[in-house]
Amino acid sequence: MFNPNSPQARDIVDLFFWSMVIGGVIFVLVTGLILYSVWRFRGRPGDGEPHQNPGNRKLEIAWTIAPTVLLAIIFVVTLSAMRRIDPDPAGQQPDVIVTGYSWWWHVEYPNSGVVTANEIHIPVGQQVLFQLKAADVIHDFWVPELGPKKDMIPGHPGNTVWLAADEPGIYLGACAEYCGTQHAWMRIRVIAHPQEEFDEWLRQQASIPAAPMSEELVRGAQIFQESTCVNCHAIAGTNANAQAGPNLTHVGSRLTLGAGIIDNTPENLGQWILNPHAIKPGVQMPGYNYSPADLRALVAYLGSLQ
Ligand code: CUA
């Protein structure tokens, strides 16, 4: 959050900074006065009862009014920042719908029908409206460099948040509400592209993957379709259309697997399929005991889904 990359993230850091400055000055003042008094008016042997001071009306009025004024200023500044950071979408349709699952993110672009997971691509320099939903328990969507965080609450699909990125790049985020065993590995990557590159990415993701060309890829596709993979995952253009796990239509184009826990390499994907619990204990996906040749074919097929 200390590297803000959007107007709203800068607003948040400014608010935080000035609240810290005001709080810091008061802290130093109060602590300093206490330490000074302890030292200056310390008891010495032979001292009698200290002078009893029943009160000082001027001082009491001053230290009631000063904090009231200070808090009123912070209140007004906070309120105006909140209105800029989190404006009412006023009926505007979301650009991206993100749904929190234990422990990954379902990502949908309603205008183009693109569905992906964990990695969210956005065009640079634009305010992007996110609708935030939850499939099971409460999650919290937070990409600190790009905007505020917001809860995802089951049965309360109306939460929205605006994110923007001033510069192209990869921005990391995470679930910010404890949601079970793998809460810490519920990572988000937001990839901000120049508009043209983003349009190209969206076109690519909206396309249906080409039919497998080589014998091994055909075998891999067949293994996928005949295994229980299809009970949870979807691949556009095939019979697999389940929603319980991440959509795999273009899984080969993603950077990581398991919501950010490992890099998306053929070797890692193979390990993940054999025993995902060794990598991410508690994950909902069971392990599968494929022969080395079958595993190679399946990994090659999934990797080919670019
Ligand atoms: Cu999802 Cu913590």
Side-chain angles (χ1 to χ4, degrees):
M1 65 173 283
F2 295 107
N3 296 309
N5 212 282
S6 72
Q8 54 268 52
R10 270 191 298 280
D11 260 338
I12 292 170
V13 172
D14 286 349
L15 197 58
F16 176 76
F17 176 78
W18 287 109
S19 306
M20 283 296 282
V21 167
I22 293 171
V25 168
I26 293 169
F27 174 78
V28 169
L29 201 71
V30 171
T31 315
L33 280 173
I34 289 173
L35 290 176
Y36 172 76
S37 305
V38 165
W39 173 79
R40 173 76 178 73
F41 303 106
R42 65 191 182 280
R44 293 184 177 83
D47 280 357
E49 187 75 2
H51 169 65
Q52 299 298 307
N53 190 350
N56 182 323
R57 181 159 297 168
K58 273 187 201 158
L59 267 179
E60 280 162 18
I61 289 172
W63 69 49
T64 304
I65 289 179
T68 306
V69 170
L70 212 52
L71 285 176
I73 292 170
I74 292 174
F75 177 70
V76 169
V77 170
T78 303
L79 216 58
S80 82
M82 282 167 71
R83 294 178 67 136
R84 287 194 305 276
I85 292 163
D86 195 20
D88 186 339
Q92 193 178 319
Q93 292 308 302
D95 303 298
V96 187
I97 303 171
V98 182
T99 308
Y101 283 72
S102 299
W103 295 277
W104 58 280
W105 312 89
H106 174 92
V107 181
E108 205 180 320
Y109 294 74
N111 298 328
S112 56
V114 165
V115 177
T116 180
N118 302 326
E119 294 169 15
I120 304 167
H121 294 247
I122 60 169
V124 93
Q126 279 185 39
Q127 290 293 339
V128 182
L129 181 60
F130 285 70
Q131 183 184 354
L132 304 177
K133 304 198 287 187
D136 35 40
V137 297
I138 298 178
H139 301 279
D140 190 303
F141 186 79
W142 192 27
V143 186
E145 286 163 278
L146 306 186
K149 67 176 159 142
K150 183 83 65 102
D151 269 3
M152 302 168 133
I153 302 165
H156 186 84
N159 279 7
T160 56
V161 71
W162 296 91
L163 296 189
D166 294 340
E167 304 286 333
I170 299 180
Y171 301 92
L172 300 181
C175 181
E177 179 80 43
Y178 182 71
C179 56
T181 315
Q182 289 297 342
H183 158 70
W185 279 108
M186 196 168 162
R187 301 292 173 87
I188 308 160
R189 274 175 168 71
V190 174
I191 298 132
H193 305 272
Q195 184 72 51
E196 272 174 33
E197 218 177 281
F198 171 75
D199 293 341
E200 180 52 38
W201 176 84
L202 206 59
R203 257 197 303 280
Q204 169 74 11
Q205 296 287 310
S207 69
I208 288 171
M213 297 300 278
S214 75
E215 203 178 311
E216 186 173 56
L217 295 183
V218 170
R219 175 79 191 121
Q222 192 186 355
I223 293 166
F224 185 89
Q225 294 297 330
E226 289 172 356
S227 302
T228 50
C229 308
V230 295
N231 292 351
C232 294
H233 295 287
I235 295 178
T238 76
N239 291 329
N241 54 17
Q243 296 258 343
N247 185 298
L248 301 179
T249 303
H250 292 280
V251 66
S253 68
R254 291 187 208 142
L255 302 169
T256 67
L257 299 168
I261 201 163
I262 43 173
D263 289 336
N264 187 4
T265 65
E267 192 178 68
N268 283 347
L269 180 54
Q271 293 300 319
W272 176 264
I273 292 168
L274 287 180
N275 191 0
H277 289 261
I279 298 166
K280 193 171 179 176
V283 67
Q284 313 256 348
M285 177 164 148
Y288 291 89
N289 223 342
Y290 292 113
S291 72
D294 281 356
L295 184 67
R296 251 197 321 277
L298 181 55
V299 166
Y301 166 63
L302 291 172
S304 76
L305 301 174
Q306 293 286 332

